[in-house]
Amino acid sequence: MKTLVAVKRVVDYNVKVRVKADNSGVDLANVKMSMNPFCEIAVEEAVRLKELGITTEIVVVSIGPAAAQEQLRTALALGADRAVLVESADELNSLAVAKLLKAVVDKEQPQLVILGKQAIDSDNNQTGQMLAALTGYGQGTFASNVEVSGGQVAVTREIDGGAQTVSLKLPAIVTTDLRLNEPRYASLPNIMKAKKKPLEVLTPDALGVSTASTHKTVNVEAPAARSAGIKVNSVAELVEKLKNQAKVL
Ligand code: AMP
């Protein structure tokens, strides 16, 4: 069973992002970039399915600038077999990304496609759902458990107040939630081996996909700075301040 995993290059989760002075977006100059954490979980799940003998080949795909090859090499070091970069310097919206992923799905014909539930840069949480709509495949989103057997995948989904298990006919789309697994670290020998694994570079034009945007970002603002807190000496003083100063009681 071939498994396709979509990985996105995003600002590292430890970085405190800065908004550009003209409020047009986030300043990416000299900022540490990494694989989106939910995509790391997607890669780990594919590697575990390969270790179980269910997946036979893992192909990782990223859509983004040439530098996204770094994240693809990381995925190769974690156990993926092959990588595809759809190179585009433009900032693409989710529909454009989903259309490009659909073109890669048509080309690669995977039985299972695993994506993160959301990218931590734009928090869109929609690419997997759009890809499911474009391909017509079943979707199991927010997966906390994945079991493949007999041409089906059972996906346990994190939902409000509990869990729901859906059974999907393969080929299918799965998006990963935090509790699905704990990603491993790449070992040094595997990082070295990953340098020799195949990485194909394609373009949206070569895939015949128009990435024209249907929307543009109008304004990006940092959250308002929090004012400093104060210490109170007694419960009575706290209640008095909540009543008369904060006016929340
Ligand atoms: P989003 O819908 O943007 O929150 O992203 C959800 C998931 O879609 C990510 O975790 C990735 O698996 C995939 N994805 C989004 N953008 C890209 C991209 N540019 N390249 C590869 N995968 C992507």
Side-chain angles (χ1 to χ4, degrees), residues 6-8 36 39 61-63 97 115-116 118-119 124-127:
V7 302
K8 187 174 186 192
N36 180 43
C39 302
V61 54
S62 192
I63 296 157
V97 171
L115 303 90
Q118 83 193 55
N124 285 340
N125 176 7
Q126 56 191 9
T127 308

Side-chain angles (χ1 to χ4, degrees), residues 15-239:
V15 169
K16 190 170 181 325
V17 293
R18 291 183 313 264
V19 173
K20 285 186 191 163
D22 64 0
N23 293 97
S24 61
V26 165
D27 190 356
L28 295 182
N30 302 318
V31 167
K32 180 171 186 242
M33 304 293 284
S34 298
M35 191 190 304
N36 180 43
F38 291 103
C39 302
E40 286 180 349
I41 296 172
V43 172
E44 175 67 31
E45 196 61 19
V47 173
R48 291 186 188 192
L49 287 171
K50 194 168 177 203
E51 286 167 348
L52 287 171
I54 294 167
T55 285
T56 46
E57 186 185 23
I58 303 170
V59 182
V60 280
V61 54
S62 192
I63 296 157
Q69 292 195 20
E70 278 172 42
Q71 282 63 45
L72 288 171
R73 289 281 171 213
T74 302
L76 292 169
L78 290 167
D81 298 291
R82 216 152 47 76
V84 177
L85 171 67
V86 182
E87 194 174 327
S88 170
D90 300 334
E91 201 181 304
L92 302 176
N93 64 31
S94 300
L95 187 55
V97 171
K99 285 181 183 168
L100 290 166
L101 291 175
K102 157 82 164 61
V104 175
V105 166
D106 289 345
K107 191 166 173 286
E108 295 284 345
Q109 297 287 311
Q111 286 297 98
L112 187 64
V113 186
I114 315 181
L115 303 90
K117 77 165 178 182
Q118 83 193 55
I120 61 163
D121 51 0
S122 49
D123 279 344
N124 285 340
N125 176 7
Q126 56 191 9
T127 308
Q129 294 88 328
M130 286 178 170
L131 180 62
L134 293 173
T135 53
Y137 296 167
Q139 59 180 303
T141 50
F142 314 121
S144 59
N145 192 52
V146 170
E147 273 169 40
V148 179
S149 72
Q152 311 262 334
V153 56
V155 179
T156 302
R157 309 183 53 235
E158 303 236 338
I159 56 170
D160 274 353
Q164 175 197 48
T165 302
V166 292
S167 177
L168 313 170
K169 199 161 83 90
L170 295 175
I173 315 276
V174 169
T175 75
T176 61
D177 215 322
L178 262 189
R179 276 162 285 270
L180 179 58
N181 60 48
E182 212 171 294
R184 70 195 66 189
Y185 292 100
S187 66
L188 191 55
N190 286 345
I191 293 172
M192 302 311 289
K193 275 189 217 150
K195 294 185 187 199
K196 297 212 175 88
K197 290 187 179 176
L199 191 158
E200 184 183 9
V201 181
L202 300 171
T203 60
D205 280 352
L207 290 169
V209 175
S210 159
T211 55
S213 187
T214 47
H215 74 268
K216 67 172 186 173
T217 302
V218 179
N219 192 46
V220 176
E221 274 177 38
R226 280 181 62 180
S227 49
I230 54 162
K231 277 193 177 163
V232 290
N233 293 318
S234 67
V235 173
E237 190 188 348
L238 174 66
V239 171

